Structures are given as C-alpha cells and as structure tokens.
Amino acid sequence: MASTNDLKNGMVLKIDNGLWSVVEFQHVKPGKGPAFVRTKLKNFMSGKIVDKTFNAGVKVETANVDRSDMQYLYKDGDDYVFMDTKTYDQINIPATAVGDAANFLLENQEAIVAQNDGTVLYVELPASVVLEITHTEPGLQGDRSTGGTKPATLETGAEIQVPLFLEQGTKVKVDTRDGSYLGRVS
C-alpha cells in the first residue's frame, strides 16, 4: 500500500483487479476544499488511458513489479524471445507487451523487462540507441544541419526524421522514448 502523496510516474497500481501504470500525476491544492491528486493511468492489458482523481493521503494498492535485465535474442512469429542474463532462461514476450520498443530493438540488445506474477508488463530500452540508416533520399549540395529534415529508415525498419545532410549507412543516435534524432555517431 502507498499513499497518493507517494505517487510517481511509472509506478504500477492495482485498481479494480487491473494493473495500471501512472503516466502522469499532479497534486492540486484548491483555495477552497481538500487537496487531491489528479492522475492519468494506463491499463497494461488494454492500453486504455483514463483520468482518475484521488483525495490526498488516500491509500492505494501498489503492484509488485520485478524488473530484470534481459537480452533480446530473436523474433518468433508475433513473439519476441528474451533471455535472462543471470539465469539464461528464455521467455517469449508478445508484441503487445513490447510495444513501441520494437521499433528500436536489435538482436543481442540489453533491455529491462518488468513482470508482475509472471505476466510481462513492459519492455524498457536504454534512453538512446545507436542504429544505422538503411535508406534515405540522397542529400543535395547546400543541405546544412540547420535546415529541414527528411524521413530515414533505420536497420530495425522504423522511420524517423533526420537532417537533410545525412546519408545511407550513417550511424545515428535515436531517443527510444519518442523516436527523435539525437545526433550522428562516428
């Protein structure tokens, strides 16, 4: 159990027999009346996001989440196969649990897998990864880093926006949270 005053982004709560992740929260102290906490919660099973308001200081049940370092091995149909780096046990994780992380996932890459009672909740990648551009339109003379952007396809198949001067075969650093270009890697 935890108080609503202890809520943090990413915290997992048990509400109505479901697991919900705190996407964002805000403590509100109105001029009149008691304080309350306004939250945005995401359901792990359905992916639905709801707004929920709690009175300040109310107890909420937290879920036990085991986070373990795993290595992505390969894709097997719709599942992704990961290996625990400590026990070498392999588990299949459905694409719905992997989510947007699949856009930046390369074989043998390290990731954190969060589980609750054997159910995989989510896969968390490092904040940034280095990937190679496999396809982009060629740059033109006069394209500068301060100019516009163009679409580029990465080795994972994901498409991001990159500066005009980048060419095919260039390694780039990509933010895994929003898929934005962070810079070139030499």
Side-chain angles (χ1 to χ4, degrees):
M1 297 293 275
S3 167
T4 54
N5 298 331
D6 302 329
L7 291 181
K8 293 182 177 75
N9 288 348
M11 194 176 215
V12 180
L13 307 175
K14 273 188 182 178
I15 302 172
D16 301 330
N17 296 327
L19 294 176
W20 298 80
S21 172
V22 177
V23 177
E24 63 183 56
F25 68 98
Q26 178 183 17
H27 291 277
V28 180
K29 178 110 175 79
K32 188 184 268 187
F36 60 92
V37 179
R38 187 178 295 135
T39 62
K40 205 174 260 188
L41 304 172
K42 180 179 181 184
N43 186 303
F44 279 112
M45 297 308 140
S46 66
K48 183 169 71 169
I49 295 179
V50 298
D51 294 321
K52 189 161 177 66
T53 304
F54 299 97
N55 289 330
V58 170
K59 297 286 186 196
V60 289
E61 188 177 356
T62 57
N64 184 23
V65 177
D66 300 322
R67 295 165 50 96
S68 52
D69 292 326
M70 296 208 172
Q71 182 180 27
Y72 170 61
L73 297 178
Y74 57 90
K75 188 169 181 185
D76 183 21
D78 289 339
D79 291 350
Y80 292 81
V81 180
F82 282 80
M83 177 182 68
D84 191 317
T85 55
K86 292 182 182 75
T87 63
Y88 302 107
D89 291 338
Q90 293 184 12
I91 60 169
N92 287 22
I93 300 177
T96 54
V98 175
D100 292 338
N103 294 332
F104 309 108
L105 202 54
L106 286 175
E107 291 182 0
N108 301 320
Q109 184 174 346
E110 299 287 326
I112 295 172
V113 176
Q115 299 181 45
N116 173 266
D117 297 331
T119 304
V120 176
L121 301 177
Y122 59 87
V123 174
E124 183 179 307
L125 295 178
S128 64
V129 293
V130 175
L131 298 169
E132 185 175 326
I133 296 174
T134 57
H135 176 73
T136 188
E137 297 300 319
L140 301 171
Q141 181 64 31
D143 288 341
R144 299 287 178 257
S145 61
T146 57
T149 61
K150 62 182 177 180
T153 305
L154 302 173
E155 59 188 306
T156 59
E159 191 171 286
I160 65 167
Q161 292 293 320
V162 298
L164 295 169
F165 65 88
L166 289 180
E167 297 176 359
Q168 190 169 315
T170 305
K171 289 196 178 284
V172 294
K173 193 174 202 178
V174 180
D175 188 328
T176 58
R177 296 169 297 222
D178 60 7
S180 62
Y181 165 81
L182 295 174
R184 272 192 297 192
V185 177
S186 51

